[in-house]
Amino acid sequence: MKHNWRVLALVLAMLCFPAFAQLTPVSVAVVSTGIKATVNEQAQVEILVRNGTNHEVTGYSWVVTGTYPDGSTKSHSGTIDMIGTGSLPAGGTKTIDDTLPLKNGYTPITISASLTMVAFDNNTAVGDKEKVAHFIGIRQDMAQRWAKELAQIDGAMKSASPKDTLKAYLEQRDAVDPDRGAGMARQVLGLLEIDVPRSTLDPIIAKFHAYQNLLEGQSKLEVK
């Protein structure tokens, strides 16, 4: 009997089309949801989003909720910032991959999802004000981090030994924040260590600056 329930859960979930998330006055909405697989006691959920506006979507937040055979529900939420990495164009669609846990071995029998916040390339956003504020905070923090690191890179490139200057900076940074990751400075140092010429390095650093300017500019979202 349990096996039959799981088959029914999968079929119903794949056929579930939740109500559109109306983010007035624009139309960016979830158009379908479904379960594509079950892995490690998690239902792998696909959420299809369509951009029905004339602007590119640069980020959004969502919530997905599953209803189980016993009538209980479980939800999960997430946020994606696509600025500079492939936005959702006007009229386009994008699939969000998310997960919901199994309950007593069962997948949800229905799934619904909605967008709670959407940011656009014209520096506007719609949706839940707290979600928008959180999203702005993420971008502002990233813009500040990039600005600080680029200042170190620019200073190192003007020094007598850019390679040694960047090494010293990274050693100091890693001692304070060992989980910081690679970052731009380490990328530039890696190129310096293999003697990449300035004619190649300078355009790369210029692209870093362009992205930082984009982050900073689109951190000032007007909530509609």
Side-chain angles (χ1 to χ4, degrees), residues 23 36 74 93 105 111 118 141 168 195 199:
L23 292 175
K36 62 179 181 179
K74 287 184 180 294
T93 60
I111 298 173
V118 178
D141 180 68
D195 298 321
S199 59

Side-chain angles (χ1 to χ4, degrees), residues 33-163:
T33 61
I35 297 176
K36 62 179 181 179
T38 301
V39 180
N40 297 327
E41 298 298 310
Q42 296 283 323
Q44 307 295 307
V45 179
E46 286 186 331
I47 305 166
L48 182 65
V49 176
R50 175 173 291 125
N51 179 7
T53 74
N54 294 323
H55 297 286
E56 291 187 1
V57 172
T58 60
Y60 46 70
S61 296
W62 73 91
V63 60
V64 58
T65 301
T67 301
Y68 295 83
D70 63 0
S72 63
T73 61
K74 287 184 180 294
S75 298
H76 186 257
S77 59
T79 298
I80 290 177
D81 189 352
M82 301 178 289
I83 185 171
T85 61
S87 58
L88 174 56
T93 60
K94 187 175 282 287
T95 299
I96 301 171
D97 293 315
D98 206 337
T99 60
L100 285 171
L102 304 189
K103 185 171 184 183
N104 300 324
Y106 298 121
T107 56
I109 58 173
T110 61
I111 298 173
S112 62
S114 61
L115 298 177
T116 54
M117 184 282 302
V118 178
F120 299 94
D121 63 350
N122 64 345
N123 288 357
T124 64
V126 293
D128 183 88
K129 290 185 177 179
E130 289 186 4
K131 295 286 187 183
V132 174
H134 177 69
F135 187 78
I136 290 172
I138 292 174
R139 277 195 179 167
Q140 289 176 337
D141 180 68
M142 188 178 297
Q144 290 170 4
R145 283 175 173 265
W146 275 61
K148 290 179 180 179
E149 189 160 351
L150 282 169
Q152 295 291 335
I153 293 171
D154 291 342
M157 298 307 292
K158 295 175 182 176
S159 69
S161 177
K163 189 187 303 182

Side-chain angles (χ1 to χ4, degrees), residues 3 10 13 21 92 100 102 126 136 146 174 189 202 212 219:
H3 175 73
L10 178 60
L100 285 171
L102 304 189
V126 293
I136 290 172
W146 275 61
D174 291 347
L189 176 59
D202 288 344
Q212 193 278 330
S219 294

